[in-house]
Amino acid sequence: MGIFSFVTKSVGRKIGFGFGAIIAVLIFIVIVTLSKTQEIETIHDRIVEVRTPTAESSLLLLNAVNQSLAGLRGYMLLGTDKFKDERRAAWENGILPSLNKLKTLSPTWTDAENKKRLQDLEELIPQFQKHQQNIEDIAKSDMKKAKEWLDTRAAPTAFAIKERLEKMSVSQRELVTEDTQQAQSASATLNTLLIVLLVAGVGTATAIAFFTARGIVQAVQKLANKAEVVAGGDLTVEINRGSHDEIGQLAESFKKMIENLRGTISQIIEASSAVASASSEISSSTEQMAAGAQ
């Protein structure tokens, strides 16, 4: 009631209230849009900056482990330094950089199992490196023992590493799929919400404009009709203020004007009656004086 009274005190406030309501609807639409857009951008950033690099680093690390193991086997079979260089390159360019990349990304991971797998990898990979170096050294003098260590130490450690990397990679792919579905759902929700808000905003703006304009036009038309009656000479018309805005003030002034006109006309009528009475008295005195003269 207080807000309504405040609004109805002025035509300018009525119009301003209408525009303000429309602007409020637009602001609400913008806020909702920005919120949903931010949600989609967050999911997108998580996929690009966390999920995909983690999956790529896991695969690179897995390939580097296989490359290192293949280089060690090649050296044991052929004894050429080329395979030693390949094994070292796998460690320097693949295993160690990929492991460091996973460590850097791990604080942003949402899967606790992947963090546990990374802890296991941080223990297994140094063991695997040590086993390979020992096997490479032993292969120079005792190939049988080197093969035994390869089968009983290096290969099982490599298998444990690959098992955790494969599970990590599968987990990241599942998380990417989940994030993608969530982004698609948020996008669909945003589209639906925008349509609903657009329809609601247009409806609200139309209703506000219609009722505001109708209230002003009806009040002005009503007052114009009263003025037309007064212009025709009928001063008995009754004017009701009806509102507290400028139109109501105009109606109140028009009402006072009619009352003043009534008072003025009444005074004119009374003066005319007094003049007629005085004229009658003068006429009677003139007749008497004429009779006396005769």
Side-chain angles (χ1 to χ4, degrees):
M1 186 66 181
I3 296 177
F4 181 77
S5 299
F6 173 79
V7 171
T8 55
K9 287 181 178 179
S10 169
V11 174
R13 287 177 181 172
K14 288 180 180 179
I15 298 174
F17 178 76
F19 279 108
I22 295 172
I23 292 173
V25 172
L26 292 176
I27 291 174
F28 179 72
I29 293 175
V30 171
I31 291 174
V32 172
T33 303
L34 290 177
S35 175
K36 284 296 180 181
T37 302
Q38 183 63 40
E39 179 182 349
I40 294 172
E41 288 180 354
T42 300
I43 296 172
H44 175 268
D45 292 342
R46 187 165 63 233
I47 293 174
V48 173
E49 298 175 4
V50 179
R51 308 296 192 207
T52 302
T54 300
E56 290 176 350
S57 298
S58 299
L59 290 175
L60 288 174
L61 181 55
L62 180 61
N63 291 334
V65 168
N66 290 328
Q67 182 184 352
S68 174
L69 199 58
L72 180 61
R73 292 180 185 276
Y75 176 76
M76 292 174 63
L77 290 173
L78 301 177
T80 58
D81 291 339
K82 180 184 74 171
F83 294 104
K84 293 174 64 176
D85 294 338
E86 288 183 358
R87 187 178 71 81
R88 291 191 180 92
W91 278 95
E92 293 175 359
N93 302 326
I95 296 177
L96 296 178
S98 298
L99 181 61
N100 290 331
K101 182 67 174 179
L102 291 175
K103 290 179 182 178
T104 302
L105 294 170
S106 61
T108 60
W109 289 351
T110 56
D111 188 351
E113 289 297 321
N114 281 340
K115 294 183 178 181
K116 177 64 171 62
R117 293 180 186 117
L118 179 60
Q119 292 177 354
D120 294 342
L121 290 174
E122 290 180 295
E123 296 177 2
L124 291 170
I125 287 177
Q127 295 176 15
F128 181 57
Q129 186 178 22
K130 183 178 180 181
H131 291 329
Q132 283 193 324
Q133 186 62 51
N134 291 335
I135 292 169
E136 186 178 289
D137 295 338
I138 293 172
K140 297 175 183 179
S141 57
D142 192 346
M143 185 60 67
K144 181 179 180 181
K145 184 176 180 182
K147 290 181 179 179
E148 179 184 354
W149 277 40
L150 177 65
D151 294 336
T152 58
R153 299 187 181 185
T157 305
F159 176 79
I161 292 172
K162 290 189 286 186
E163 180 184 22
R164 285 160 176 78
L165 287 173
E166 288 172 355
K167 289 181 179 180
M168 185 180 292
S169 180
V170 169
S171 172
Q172 289 302 316
R173 287 198 296 270
E174 291 175 350
L175 290 172
V176 168
T177 301
E178 181 181 333
D179 284 344
T180 302
Q181 292 175 348
Q182 186 177 352
Q184 291 174 346
S185 176
S187 178
T189 302
L190 176 60
N191 292 334
T192 303
L193 191 58
L194 284 177
I195 293 174
V196 172
L197 290 176
L198 179 61
V199 173
V202 171
T204 302
T206 302
I208 290 173
F210 173 76
F211 286 109
T212 301
R214 188 181 70 169
I216 295 173
V217 170
Q218 284 182 346
V220 172
Q221 186 62 48
K222 184 177 180 181
L223 187 58
N225 293 336
K226 298 286 188 179
E228 190 70 23
V229 173
V230 173
D234 185 1
L235 297 179
T236 60
V237 64
E238 294 293 334
I239 305 294
N240 295 321
R241 178 165 183 164
S243 64
H244 297 281
D245 56 15
E246 289 83 352
I247 298 175
Q249 294 174 5
L250 179 61
E252 185 68 21
S253 299
F254 194 66
K255 179 180 179 181
K256 292 179 179 179
M257 182 187 71
I258 294 175
E259 292 175 351
N260 291 334
L261 284 175
R262 289 174 185 170
T264 301
I265 292 174
S266 296
Q267 291 175 2
I268 292 173
I269 292 173
E270 291 177 358
S272 297
S273 298
V275 170
S277 177
S279 297
S280 178
E281 291 178 358
I282 293 172
S283 177
S284 177
S285 298
T286 302
E287 291 176 356
Q288 290 176 4
M289 290 174 65
Q294 290 176 0

